Amino acid sequence: MTVKSIKTEIYKLIDDIEDKKILSLLKEEIQTYTTFSQTDILDDLTEAQLQQLQVSIDEVEKKEVISLKGFKKLTARWRTK
């Protein structure tokens, strides 16, 4: 399916909608998506946040992580009443 045919299909679907509330919600979603797809979330991080992110990435690469199951096992005694 080409980009043009996908757009045409979307236009037809939208054209059949008569509910103003639904159209407004669709408009908001499309605006949100286009705004976020044009930005890189890393651009808004501070230098400290970028460094911490890199530390986390390094930990994963070195396999210095535990599974959720392992975490729950290690912290079970703290999560009880």
Side-chain angles (χ1 to χ4, degrees):
M1 196 174 240
T2 66
V3 171
K4 185 175 181 176
S5 64
I6 294 170
K7 285 181 176 183
T8 300
E9 193 173 322
I10 291 170
Y11 296 148
K12 287 179 185 175
L13 290 169
I14 292 173
D15 198 39
D16 290 339
I17 298 171
E18 296 298 328
D19 187 314
K20 186 176 180 179
K21 188 174 183 177
I22 292 174
L23 289 169
S24 294
L25 289 171
L26 281 170
K27 180 182 173 191
E28 278 183 47
E29 288 301 317
I30 291 169
Q31 287 173 327
T32 300
Y33 175 76
T34 55
T35 300
F36 283 125
S37 68
Q38 294 174 6
T39 60
D40 186 343
I41 61 170
L42 298 179
D43 292 342
D44 294 331
L45 298 180
T46 65
E47 188 60 38
Q49 290 170 320
L50 287 169
Q51 288 174 357
Q52 182 56 51
L53 181 58
Q54 188 57 54
V55 167
S56 298
I57 291 169
D58 294 343
E59 288 173 345
V60 170
E61 289 174 353
K62 294 177 189 173
K63 301 202 183 314
E64 296 174 349
V65 294
I66 61 172
S67 66
L68 179 59
K69 186 177 181 179
F71 172 78
K72 286 182 176 180
K73 186 177 178 181
L74 289 170
T75 61
R77 62 185 167 142
W78 298 330
R79 292 182 287 114
T80 58
K81 292 182 180 180

